[in-house]
Amino acid sequence: MDLKKLKEVPKSYVKEILRSLSKFERLKKIPFFAGIHFKDAEKELDGKIEGYRMIDRQSARVWRIVELSRDGRRPQCLDYVKGIFTDFVELSGDRLAGEDKSVMAGLGKIGGRTVAILGQNKGKDTKERIKYNFGMSVPEGYRKSIRIMDIADRFGFPVVTFVDTPAAYAGMEAEDKGQAGAIATSILKMFEVSVPIIVVLIGEGGSGGALALAVGNEVAMLENSTYSVITPEGCAAILWRDPAGTKLAARALKITSPDLARLKVVDRIIHEPMGGAHNDPRRMVKIVKRYLTDALGRWSKFSGEELKMMRAQRFEKFGFFEETDTF
Amino acid sequence: MEEKIKCRKCGREIEREAFLLNLRVCPYCNDHTILGSMDRILITADEGSFREFSRDMKSVDFLKFFDLKSYKERLMEAKLKTGLNEAIVTGEAKIGGHPVALGVMDFGFMGGSMGSVVGEKIRRLCDFSIKKVVPLIIFASSGGARMQEGIMSLMQMAKTVSAVNRVREKKIPYFCIITYPTSGGVSASFATIADIIISEPGALFCFAGPRVVSQTIKKEIPPDFGLAERNLKNGQVDMIAGRKEIRDTLARLIRLFSS
Ligand SMILES: [Zn+2]
């Protein structure tokens, strides 16, 4: 076995390769295996090394998309609101405890129809980022969304959401005020309303904080956005116990638009201008406007009961499992 | 086997026999330690009343996920360790003579994490509750979503909320009992939308865990962070009930809701 080959293999795999290598070395010492299987073993090991190299290349590719999805120059919720809706009025407060700026809420018109709009802003410079808390929401934000969805439901306004959040905010006060319950109740509200809900994932779809605004009749995703149960960094810390696993986690979690379309978690991929949405934000906003006009038209023909049933069916079918005993 | 065990909270030594007879609760400091789902069912459901649903439903490694170990390997280890096929046991049971739809999560199985099987079993349990018009009762215990199932584990949050929503629409009561520890995707989905939330004493119940919060705010956090008593004070749970009273508490609630 040529150990020099190991130099080209990502560090995180070397240990595993050495482990299988020592297994083969041990096998070789058993007379029965001597000379017979070793050639195959070497071939298998070569295959493994090539496999790991491929995984590493894929991880790097996925990581570029993660970086694009987080790029501060990407159009944010506010840009879409400004460029798509007329007569927009921003609404504030949860009427319980406060106002969370990270969640933007309001009413506006598109194609002559009033819609309720919800979304997260991350901010484009330090001042904005602090104002929006980097797009990380607290219970007040989710409860404001619930309040606006209630208005939408009573007045028959379709709901459009723009999802872009690293995660729900992990703070003391947020926890004391019931962060978990606020997210769960927002998800619940999205199953309760009798109006169409169209979700557009525009950047980072981070975990429960994203899902709180992402239970739609239709879920669309910008080409270079991501949607994940946990950040690659968080996943690496827990499962790899090493920040070096971050890119590998990004690949393993299957968080890119083609992966999510394959899993049917996303219904549509909205293509971005060449090189990414930040290269031509105005065009990106136009593309999303066209998509939303189409989508709202498509979903306007269903009754409230049908819309609720279709949402329940869309989400209750998710999951892979087997039921027969195989051994 | 050791004759004595040391309490993780107060540090005192407890005779194993006494500890087990006390339902794995420390007799000195009332620490409610983790209880396996089968033991939980034994002490909660009327004797011989439990009949399990979908016992052979198993997770599949549909993403071919591997970190330091493959998902397949982790599943196999969890099965060997717990003797269970997944992180929740569901079925029909009677509590104080009342028929119920009962789900009990098991923290021992991959940290009680919720993947496709947990989601599907809860969905079917909700269907049963609706079909038989019996209360839905779930004991929660989970570190959150099953990362090895990627986005599909996040979707289980929506799936279980949708299923519970159908129970709610039929005006069938749903009680959730929070046990140590319940956090992440489970606390931010079906657990917190119950009509009544009961917590075991000292049970950690939060969205982000103490370590993550402490890292985020870069400060020490109080020792009672996310614990039952603090949650009660903050209005996040209806009541705290000890392991010995839970059966009676549930029976009383069922009677109140069935008049
Ligand atoms: Zn103790």
Side-chain angles (χ1 to χ4, degrees):
Chain A
M1 176 70 202
D2 186 3
L3 284 174
K4 265 182 274 173
K5 280 182 192 165
L6 285 178
K7 273 191 188 151
E8 299 158 48
V9 179
K11 262 200 209 116
S12 37
Y13 296 124
V14 169
K15 213 162 143 193
E16 200 186 319
I17 290 173
L18 286 175
R19 200 162 50 204
S20 19
L21 185 68
S22 73
K23 198 167 70 192
F24 286 127
E25 291 295 330
R26 253 183 287 129
L27 281 180
K28 217 168 54 168
K29 291 202 183 95
I30 302 169
F32 179 77
F33 290 105
I36 307 172
H37 284 83
F38 189 63
K39 208 81 205 145
D40 290 344
E42 181 132 340
K43 222 191 257 166
E44 196 187 314
L45 225 46
D46 278 351
K48 234 179 187 167
I49 289 173
E50 189 42 51
Y52 289 140
R53 280 201 204 112
M54 195 183 72
I55 286 170
D56 220 50
R57 283 195 297 272
Q58 289 171 348
S59 302
R61 232 178 358 251
V62 172
W63 191 251
R64 276 198 294 279
I65 294 172
V66 171
E67 287 177 326
L68 267 179
S69 75
R70 293 172 176 177
D71 195 308
R73 296 165 300 169
R74 264 174 103 72
Q76 300 188 353
C77 176
L78 187 62
D79 302 302
Y80 291 105
V81 168
K82 277 187 190 155
I84 293 175
F85 305 97
T86 54
D87 282 344
F88 179 75
V89 174
E90 187 170 358
L91 304 170
S92 311
D94 67 352
R95 300 294 190 274
L96 295 163
E99 157 70 351
D100 176 3
K101 278 275 162 229
S102 73
V103 176
M104 186 175 190
L107 300 174
K109 275 193 187 289
I110 175 171
R113 181 197 335 242
T114 302
V115 297
I117 303 140
L118 298 168
Q120 289 117 342
N121 277 309
K122 286 178 165 177
K124 293 189 177 176
D125 54 44
T126 309
K127 209 178 127 200
E128 271 187 21
R129 286 193 185 106
I130 290 167
K131 175 178 159 196
Y132 296 130
N133 195 29
F134 301 85
M136 294 185 288
S137 310
V138 295
E140 289 87 332
Y142 301 115
R143 288 177 180 137
K144 172 167 70 176
S145 307
I146 294 165
R147 185 174 77 82
I148 305 310
M149 285 192 269
D150 193 61
I151 292 177
D153 192 23
R154 286 193 296 122
F155 292 91
F157 306 147
V159 176
V160 172
T161 72
F162 297 100
V163 177
D164 191 11
T165 178
Y169 186 61
M172 248 328 265
E173 208 186 324
E175 290 292 333
D176 277 345
K177 286 179 174 170
Q179 183 74 301
I183 293 170
T185 312
S186 184
I187 296 169
L188 176 64
K189 189 72 189 177
M190 297 188 100
F191 284 111
E192 287 175 338
V193 297
S194 304
V195 290
I197 302 178
I198 312 294
V199 174
V200 188
L201 298 156
I202 56 171
E204 214 178 349
S207 189
L211 182 66
L213 294 184
V215 181
N217 289 94
E218 190 167 309
V219 179
M221 181 171 188
L222 300 202
E223 190 183 346
N224 294 315
S225 59
T226 56
Y227 192 14
S228 180
V229 65
I230 184 168
T231 58
E233 288 88 347
C235 183
I238 298 170
L239 292 182
W240 275 262
R241 296 197 197 99
D242 184 356
T246 300
K247 290 179 189 179
L248 298 171
R251 172 194 169 274
L253 285 165
K254 303 278 184 289
I255 62 179
T256 63
S257 55
D259 283 327
L260 295 166
R262 214 171 298 129
L263 291 165
K264 297 194 163 54
V265 168
V266 161
D267 303 297
R268 278 186 199 234
I269 299 174
I270 300 174
H271 291 284
E272 298 185 14
M274 193 69 97
H278 61 282
N279 280 342
D280 194 348
R282 288 169 65 104
R283 213 174 121 230
M284 187 71 253
V285 172
K286 261 192 195 145
I287 295 170
V288 172
K289 181 175 182 177
R290 199 178 324 126
Y291 163 73
L292 281 176
T293 310
D294 284 357
L296 287 165
R298 262 199 310 273
W299 288 96
S300 66
K301 58 175 184 280
F302 297 104
S303 72
E305 277 312 304
E306 284 171 328
L307 290 166
K308 279 173 66 171
M309 204 183 66
M310 287 160 98
R311 259 190 320 262
Q313 282 171 353
R314 185 187 189 280
F315 284 89
E316 286 194 40
K317 72 170 195 286
F318 284 131
F320 295 92
F321 48 86
E322 58 183 23
E323 286 209 75
T324 42
D325 232 314
T326 45
F327 31 78
Chain B
M1 206 179 272
E2 288 274 344
E3 281 304 297
K4 281 182 175 156
I5 52 162
K6 204 171 171 185
C7 173
R8 67 169 181 154
K9 204 167 152 197
C10 69
R12 288 217 235 178
E13 291 204 325
I14 319 160
E15 297 282 340
R16 176 171 290 274
E17 187 81 13
F19 178 63
L20 294 182
L21 281 174
N22 205 33
L23 314 177
R24 293 182 180 271
V25 175
C26 172
Y28 304 109
C29 73
N30 199 33
D31 182 32
H32 282 54
T33 65
I34 293 169
L35 192 63
S37 46
M38 285 309 176
D39 284 343
R40 177 80 65 182
I41 290 164
L42 212 62
I43 65 166
T44 310
D46 296 351
E47 205 178 331
S49 71
F50 184 75
R51 191 176 66 84
E52 190 176 349
F53 300 154
S54 317
R55 189 196 172 86
D56 66 342
M57 195 190 294
K58 291 189 182 101
S59 292
V60 290
D61 182 14
F62 58 95
L63 295 181
K64 299 196 169 43
F65 193 102
F66 72 89
D67 39 86
L68 301 177
K69 278 179 195 165
S70 70
Y71 182 28
K72 265 195 189 131
E73 207 178 331
R74 288 192 193 264
L75 282 169
M76 194 58 73
E77 284 174 4
K79 275 177 202 175
L80 289 172
K81 187 179 131 199
T82 59
L84 301 170
N85 275 331
E86 254 299 329
I88 191 167
V89 175
T90 57
E92 60 177 317
K94 281 187 174 159
I95 295 179
H98 309 282
V100 299
L102 180 65
V104 180
M105 298 191 79
D106 198 300
F107 192 76
F109 194 102
M110 293 188 76
S113 56
M114 173 161 69
S116 299
V117 172
V118 171
E120 179 67 13
K121 279 189 168 181
I122 288 177
R123 188 185 72 80
R124 291 186 190 181
L125 188 67
C126 291
D127 285 346
F128 176 81
S129 156
I130 292 166
K131 199 172 129 210
K132 296 284 161 127
V133 200
V134 293
L136 174 65
I137 296 173
I138 302 180
F139 284 79
S141 183
S142 171
R146 174 95 40 99
M147 283 173 285
Q148 289 86 349
E149 294 194 13
I151 196 75
M152 227 17 99
S153 64
L154 190 72
M155 292 303 111
Q156 303 311 308
M157 292 170 64
K159 175 172 177 165
T160 53
V161 169
S162 176
V164 167
N165 184 38
R166 291 187 289 110
V167 174
R168 290 167 65 92
E169 283 176 340
K170 294 281 185 257
K171 304 205 189 311
I172 296 168
Y174 162 35
F175 311 133
C176 185
I177 302 91
I178 304 297
T179 71
Y180 175 89
T182 299
S183 67
V186 164
S187 65
S189 64
F190 65 87
T192 32
I193 55 167
D195 296 300
I196 309 282
I197 303 178
I198 305 167
S199 179
E200 278 204 329
L204 178 70
F205 176 35
C206 54
F207 181 57
R211 200 175 46 85
V212 174
V213 170
S214 162
Q215 274 169 8
T216 307
I217 62 175
K218 295 178 182 71
K219 261 189 243 164
E220 284 273 316
I221 51 167
D224 66 341
F225 170 85
L227 300 188
E229 297 69 21
R230 190 180 175 101
N231 283 328
L232 184 67
K233 204 178 100 214
N234 284 330
Q236 304 304 334
V237 299
D238 286 285
M239 67 192 89
I240 296 173
R243 211 161 272 175
K244 281 178 210 154
E245 10 176 311
I246 199 72
R247 188 204 298 247
D248 287 343
T249 306
L250 286 171
R252 196 177 319 141
L253 282 170
I254 296 165
R255 284 198 298 276
L256 286 167
F257 276 84
S258 58
S259 74

